[in-house]
Amino acid sequence: MEGFLRRAVAQGMLRAVDLHFARQMETLAGGNAPELLLAAALASHRVGEGDVCLDLERCRELPLLHGDGGTDRPRVPAPEVWVDALGARAVVGKPGGRAPLILDRHGRLYLGRYWWFERQVADAVLARVRSPPPAVDRDRLRAGLRRLFPGTGGIDWQRVAAAVAVLRHLCLISGGPGTGKTRTVTAILALLTEQTAGPPLRIALAAPTGKATARLSESIRTAKAGLSVTEQTSDRIPEEAVTLHRLLGYRPGHATPRHGADNPLHLEVLVVDEASMVDLPLMARLLAALPGCARLILLGDKDQLASVEAGRVLGDLCGRGRAPGYSPGLCAEIAAVAGDRLAPATAPGPDLGDRILVLRESWRFGKDSGIGALARAVNRGDADAGLQILADDRYPDVGLEAPRPQILTDLIEQWLVPVMGRVLTSPEPQAALLALDRVRVLCAVRSGPQGVDHLNERLAQALEAAGLIRRDGELYAGRPIMLTANDHALRLYNGDVGLVLADPGSGGALRVFFATAAGVRRILPSRLPAHETVYAMTVHKSQGSEFDEVLLVLPETESRVLTRELIYTGITRARKRVRLLATEERLRAAIARPLVRTSGLYDALWTRPGADDPGPGSRSAGGDSSESAPTSCRR
């Protein structure tokens, strides 16, 4: 078994850390435990691939073990045999235990800390769901909803979302680009402010990345200007967002942040934007640090790609595609305060469903938008409809190009080089940065002929041949960069995009310019955190960004990263036009393949716990009982 795992590491199918962890587990178990060695290596590897745990029943589907076995692959035990063998090992504990590995009754094997992360999230979410609702002046809420959402034609889902966010401690608002999530949450903050007597509410705005915080701050500032509220109410709505890491107080050299259960955040309302990008460990630590009395409002797009790290938290919270359905009690409350008549679900699910609102109408992609129509077809998994839209002349804003040998060269020379020419001939840095963000090449993968690394090099060569840049050093005038690390001292964060230009104010010396909420900043190249060239970027890195035009490039060879969510995320980064460079076969396969991440969070939130499960709300799992949660943070 160890020989097989060593070969897998050499072939890049496993990480060295996965094998090291597996060896440790086998040693702690007394040695000679091939079934444990394989399971531990795979459990570690799955976390690295984004899963929270290893599903023993589906192991044969993993690329490492896929196939008919043969002499090079080990014999995988039957799931029930494997469960029994692992359960007999002291390093494998039951749910609620403190063993390095945890095996639950569904045959899911966790790294111990990831079981606890998952349990902490489930406990904290369900404690908020089960806690008594906050005290609300319903007459004042009714008047505020009428003023801020005056529409009367049919159900206004923004108004419904605002009502739920005020009436409950937890609200999840999902919607695609242009559906008004930020405008809705700004109105929610106004309604909450109007409910509050005495000192201003303690409100925080946060997002996973620096780029997302900048966009959230800008959007809140713009939305405030359009609200029908008093000047005092407007002044009490914060505009500056921070990264979740900064909010929690992460410190270099420390594994845990400053804020947690023992030192909670001093907040009454927390808004988290781009929640689809929040991974399981970060969500667990965020919920542990948030007082039970505080309102939590999560904004995001449940159909987007999941976090880069383990988990698909927003997707699990929103029910993994469950159709929204509301209890008769909530429908009656909404009718009373908002006037919207919701039809109760015929078979209402868990109470968590009453906290999930999906904004349906896109103000960016209207009925004639090919981008909008294509996004909806991709979300349905309807590849036939998607390909028809791409071929339909009525939708000039979308198009599909077959990856012929010359097509990428033509696109670079006829489209991208002129765009970069406008960037580099802009009269000042702010105009150059705006021009840079009007177009972007997005890739599904980093390596290979259609990967980010190769395309960045090809684009740089084309620009150099056109005389627009001269690569005479690592940093050269005209090089766009994206940060890959945070620098809190500089207030620059992973994902921020800058542009290297000659600075007339510094005698023509190179500076790196960044667009921020406070204006354009110039940074000495020597002070830059880790970074990379970003003529092209991965779809994952593009989350939270928008561009006028997008070229989405898919690999010609089969890749498991090609999923429905990746295609949807890529095409919805475009405001005006998107081109896909892909074969019909590869695009069809991607649309048909939903992103699947193995976890137990959905079961913990949406189904009853099993007999061997301590269950949500259990003190052994680190959560307070829901009945004891206070209803107000006012002091």
Side-chain angles (χ1 to χ4, degrees), residues 172-217:
L172 294 84
I173 303 175
S174 175
T179 53
K181 296 187 295 294
T182 311
R183 194 271 175 188
T184 302
V185 83
T186 308
I188 290 168
L189 297 179
L191 292 168
L192 290 172
T193 296
E194 292 173 351
Q195 289 280 323
T196 307
L201 276 173
R202 300 187 299 275
I203 301 170
L205 309 174
T209 67
K211 183 191 303 182
T213 64
R215 290 187 62 83
L216 177 59
S217 298

Side-chain angles (χ1 to χ4, degrees), residues 89-117:
R89 300 291 180 177
V91 295
V92 180
K94 293 181 179 180
R98 292 291 182 180
L101 293 164
I102 298 292
L103 180 64
D104 74 8
R105 67 187 183 93
H106 301 285
R108 293 183 292 235
L109 184 67
Y110 294 79
L111 303 187
R113 64 195 182 104
Y114 278 85
W115 186 91
W116 284 99
F117 285 143

Side-chain angles (χ1 to χ4, degrees), residues 210-390:
K211 183 191 303 182
T213 64
R215 290 187 62 83
L216 177 59
S217 298
E218 179 183 357
S219 298
I220 292 280
R221 195 174 296 113
T222 301
K224 279 175 59 174
L227 291 184
S228 178
V229 296
T230 65
E231 184 177 351
Q232 182 186 46
T233 295
S234 181
D235 290 343
R236 289 187 169 192
I237 299 173
E239 298 177 356
E240 295 304 317
V242 297
T243 64
L244 289 171
H245 283 79
R246 187 174 177 186
L247 176 74
L248 292 174
Y250 273 87
R251 298 156 292 175
H254 292 76
T256 56
R258 181 180 302 111
H259 291 288
D262 296 331
N263 181 26
L265 295 162
H266 191 53
L267 292 177
E268 295 172 273
V269 181
L270 173 61
V271 175
V272 179
D273 196 15
E274 297 292 350
S276 64
M277 300 169 65
V278 182
D279 58 59
L280 181 70
L282 183 56
M283 184 64 79
R285 288 176 172 132
L286 177 67
L287 292 173
L290 189 65
C293 57
R295 281 182 173 86
L296 174 62
I297 303 168
L298 299 178
L299 306 177
D301 187 344
K302 62 183 179 59
D303 298 315
Q304 270 192 194
L305 278 169
S307 56
V308 175
E309 304 299 331
R312 191 184 183 190
V313 179
L314 185 64
D316 284 339
L317 290 173
C318 290
R320 291 188 183 178
R322 290 171 64 110
Y326 304 107
S327 68
L330 179 70
C331 293
E333 286 187 84
I334 295 301
V337 299
D340 295 281
R341 304 286 176 177
L342 309 184
T346 53
D351 289 343
L352 177 57
D354 277 354
R355 277 83 175 166
I356 299 167
L357 285 304
V358 179
L359 303 184
R360 294 158 168 80
E361 183 175 0
S362 175
W363 302 96
R364 182 181 307 162
F365 305 133
K367 293 180 180 179
D368 298 329
S369 167
I371 296 174
L374 180 59
R376 291 189 292 273
V378 170
N379 271 342
R380 296 194 306 269
D382 191 341
D384 289 338
L387 289 167
Q388 288 174 5
I389 291 164
L390 286 165

Side-chain angles (χ1 to χ4, degrees), residues 534-576:
V534 71
Y535 296 114
M537 67 197 303
T538 63
V539 176
H540 261 108
K541 287 286 190 179
S542 75
Q543 290 185 90
S545 299
E546 297 172 358
F547 313 99
D548 285 347
E549 297 189 54
V550 162
L551 175 63
L552 177 58
V553 182
L554 304 187
E556 296 182 40
T557 56
E558 169 62 13
S559 172
R560 293 177 66 86
V561 306
L562 292 180
T563 63
R564 181 180 306 165
E565 290 78 7
L566 182 136
I567 303 301
Y568 169 80
T569 303
I571 62 179
T572 55
R573 297 312 90 200
R575 286 184 288 251
K576 297 180 179 178

Side-chain angles (χ1 to χ4, degrees), residues 577-593:
R577 189 180 185 191
V578 62
R579 300 184 188 187
L580 285 84
L581 187 60
T583 64
E584 286 192 11
E585 175 189 13
R586 198 62 60 223
L587 180 58
R588 185 180 294 275
I591 293 173
R593 179 189 292 138

